Amino acid sequence: MLSPRALQEIAQVEAEIDRIEAQTIERVAVPPDNQVQQIELLGKLMLYDKQLSVNRNEACAFCHMPEAGFTGPVSELNRTTGAYPGSVRTRFSDRKPQSHAYAPLSPVLHYNPGRGDLVGGNFWDMRATGRRLGNPAAEQAQGPPTNPVEMGLPDIACAVYRAAQRPYRALFESVWGRQAFAISWPGDVEQVCARPGPPAAGEPMPVRLRPLDRGRAGTTFDQMAQSIAGYEASAEVSPFTSKFDAVLAGKAKFTPQEQAGYDLFRGKAQCNACHRDGGPGEDPLFTDFTASNIGTPANPRLPYYAENRPDALGYVANPAGSSFVDGGVGSFLANGHLLSQPSAVDQRWRKLAPDNQARIQVPTLRNVDKRPDPGFVKAYGHNGYFTSLKAIVHFYNTRDVLPRCPPHDAGEGTTCWPVPESTDNMNTSKVGHLGLSDAEEDAIVSFMQTLTDGFMPVNRQ
């Protein structure tokens, strides 16, 4: 299924992951003497650790590399499949990877009755609520390890077991306590953890642990996740070092085109209504942490649509097949998520499901154009339908102006658009008919390119 070009790029990304991991492991010999920095170091070690996936071949970073703004680093996958393969390489997710930069700054998911909106959480459907651990990014980190189409472990205890064998074990114990890995593992744990999830319906936790050990494994898994969130919140990942930040600090000036784009962003284009650039006491995070259905077309390139038959291991990722419609936040509230459920649904919010059907979390625009080279393709939208910033800005501008056309039409994306994947709760007030000229679209793109970190040096203290 993966093309030679994609496989070549994947090999390059994996080599870079190995290089970063080896470099980071060297720091374990003389760790920082500050506990916060120790936690950040642990989080980085685990993000770049392939051993935490079922086939020991996929680190979290495989979908979240720095050179692409901590989102998908394989140009060919972004251009073609949109989604990324998991540890079982024939399984693909239903969505494109989000950036995890700035994710720890999302508030714990809550309902704001004044706005009539759910606010906060992580993941496109907000399902990492943060209600249990107090940190949505930590709960987000708990999704991929046991997601069958991602890292694929059959049990969270497998992540703990694998971490216990890694070079960072002693550092983990010094930060979180010697009890972290003081677990009596069953004799078949290696075999159980090498078998891709999901587990059999009758045995949701196939690593057979005594109750005390099960509780200990759960706590350690929480601490692994909190370490990852600690790293994601660090100045290495969420640094506020873009040209936009330099302009705010009076250390740089926008070009005339960038300034025109910023004025449009805040005015005629209405971008700032959801992708907020800050306010009194509010960091410019370029999201308001709510959800919206902008009417994105379905992405027919997603391999997920074909995952409706049992794979070699008998697993069916997508029983709905080609009729799958991403219900976004509404589906999470009503049913949980088919592939991973890191946070429990608050039963009191079930009644909000119809008003949130097909709504997708507003992503931050920070690093939206960060890429390793100008020819690198990035994917946009929850399903990766758009493959350039210009295309998605053009869509916001013309969704309701241009005629509808079938997928793969010659004019698709320029003179016509396919139907939305879902029209439920579709945003018609801020999207669809903005009246922007081609030059104004370009100016907005130019402004968004000022949100790429690395313009100013990072102070990592």
Side-chain angles (χ1 to χ4, degrees):
M1 182 176 281
L2 291 167
S3 69
R5 185 169 171 181
L7 289 169
Q8 181 184 7
E9 269 195 84
I10 287 169
Q12 291 168 344
V13 169
E14 288 175 338
E16 178 65 0
I17 288 170
D18 290 343
R19 186 193 69 78
I20 293 171
E21 185 193 33
Q23 197 176 57
T24 311
I25 285 172
E26 287 177 10
R27 294 169 54 198
V28 174
V30 188
D33 56 8
N34 174 289
Q35 192 186 46
V36 171
Q37 290 170 299
Q38 290 171 1
I39 288 171
E40 290 174 5
L41 177 56
L42 277 173
K44 183 173 184 178
L45 286 160
M46 287 183 278
L47 269 172
Y48 287 89
D49 189 353
K50 292 177 179 176
Q51 301 294 317
L52 300 182
S53 64
V54 66
N55 290 324
R56 302 179 187 271
N57 62 341
E58 182 160 289
C60 298
F62 178 66
C63 293
H64 307 278
M65 287 292 276
E67 66 269 20
F70 296 96
T71 182
V74 181
S75 178
E76 185 64 6
L77 293 180
N78 298 340
R79 187 183 72 82
T80 56
T81 61
Y84 276 52
S87 182
V88 178
R89 289 296 196 220
T90 54
R91 297 178 181 176
F92 285 75
S93 179
D94 56 338
R95 296 174 181 146
K96 86 162 206 86
Q98 279 179 295
S99 171
H100 66 216
Y102 302 95
L105 302 179
S106 176
V108 172
L109 187 63
H110 58 282
Y111 181 65
N112 181 329
R115 296 183 59 170
D117 259 332
L118 285 163
V119 184
N122 273 189
F123 280 124
W124 291 113
D125 58 9
M126 300 174 157
R127 71 184 184 277
T129 67
R131 296 281 293 279
R132 190 173 69 82
L133 295 178
N135 185 331
E139 291 184 25
Q140 185 280 329
Q142 296 189 323
T146 56
N147 187 330
V149 303
E150 293 188 32
M151 296 167 82
L153 292 168
D155 190 323
I156 63 167
C158 295
V160 177
Y161 173 71
R162 296 273 183 93
Q165 301 168 310
R166 304 299 290 140
Y168 49 79
R169 174 175 176 155
L171 177 61
F172 195 103
E173 289 173 328
S174 73
V175 170
W176 296 107
R178 291 293 297 275
Q179 81 294 332
F181 301 114
I183 294 168
S184 180
W185 298 103
D188 64 350
V189 64
E190 279 284 353
Q191 299 93 296
V192 170
C193 291
R195 192 178 303 129
E203 194 171 30
M205 293 184 284
V207 178
R208 295 192 176 113
L209 295 174
R210 293 178 302 200
L212 203 62
D213 287 327
R214 175 55 65 177
R216 201 166 275 166
T219 298
T220 303
F221 189 61
D222 287 347
Q223 292 159 346
M224 291 169 68
Q226 287 165 320
S227 301
I228 289 170
Y231 171 63
E232 290 171 351
S234 74
E236 198 173 313
V237 182
S238 304
F240 294 95
T241 56
S242 69
K243 182 175 183 179
F244 175 84
D245 297 297
V247 171
L248 277 192
K251 297 176 179 175
K253 286 189 173 176
F254 288 134
T255 66
Q257 188 188 38
E258 290 164 355
Q259 184 63 56
Y262 188 33
D263 294 341
L264 288 160
F265 186 95
R266 291 182 57 87
K268 182 178 177 182
Q270 302 186 74
C271 313
N272 205 55
C274 300
H275 296 282
R276 287 185 52 81
D277 66 346
E282 181 186 336
D283 279 325
L285 292 171
F286 291 91
T287 173
D288 64 356
F289 302 105
T290 64
S292 183
N293 175 14
I294 64 166
T296 304
N299 182 1
R301 302 185 304 276
L302 285 176
Y304 187 70
Y305 289 114
E307 293 181 65
N308 61 331
R309 293 178 296 277
D311 65 12
L313 298 161
Y315 174 61
V316 180
N318 175 23
S322 59
S323 63
F324 168 77
V325 173
D326 194 331
V329 177
S331 285
F332 159 62
L333 294 175
N335 314 307
H337 187 275
L338 181 65
L339 302 172
S340 82
Q341 302 187 40
S343 310
V345 180
D346 186 328
Q347 293 292 336
R348 293 165 293 188
W349 291 347
R350 295 239 177 217
K351 62 181 181 291
L352 304 175
D355 290 340
N356 282 280
Q357 193 62 23
R359 296 180 77 197
I360 300 289
Q361 188 173 53
V362 176
T364 178
L365 296 182
R366 283 187 169 271
N367 293 312
V368 70
D369 193 55
K370 187 173 175 67
R371 63 188 75 217
D373 61 78
F376 182 93
V377 175
K378 289 191 81 168
Y380 300 101
H382 68 282
N383 59 10
Y385 172 81
F386 305 98
T387 52
S388 74
L389 268 183
K390 171 72 172 178
I392 194 167
V393 171
H394 187 56
F395 177 79
Y396 269 82
N397 184 26
T398 63
R399 181 196 69 196
D400 299 340
V401 179
L402 297 178
R404 297 283 181 243
C405 57
H408 313 301
D409 184 276
E412 180 181 355
T414 50
T415 58
C416 64
W417 293 107
V419 297
E421 179 177 8
S422 172
T423 55
D424 289 345
N425 303 302
M426 196 162 77
N427 187 329
T428 54
S429 62
K430 302 178 182 70
V431 183
H433 192 352
L434 301 179
L436 302 170
S437 68
D438 189 57
E440 287 174 327
E441 289 181 1
D442 289 343
I444 292 168
V445 170
S446 184
F447 165 67
M448 289 195 287
Q449 289 169 333
T450 71
L451 303 179
T452 297
D453 284 321
F455 186 84
M456 299 191 289
V458 182
N459 177 3
R460 291 189 180 167
Q461 297 307 309

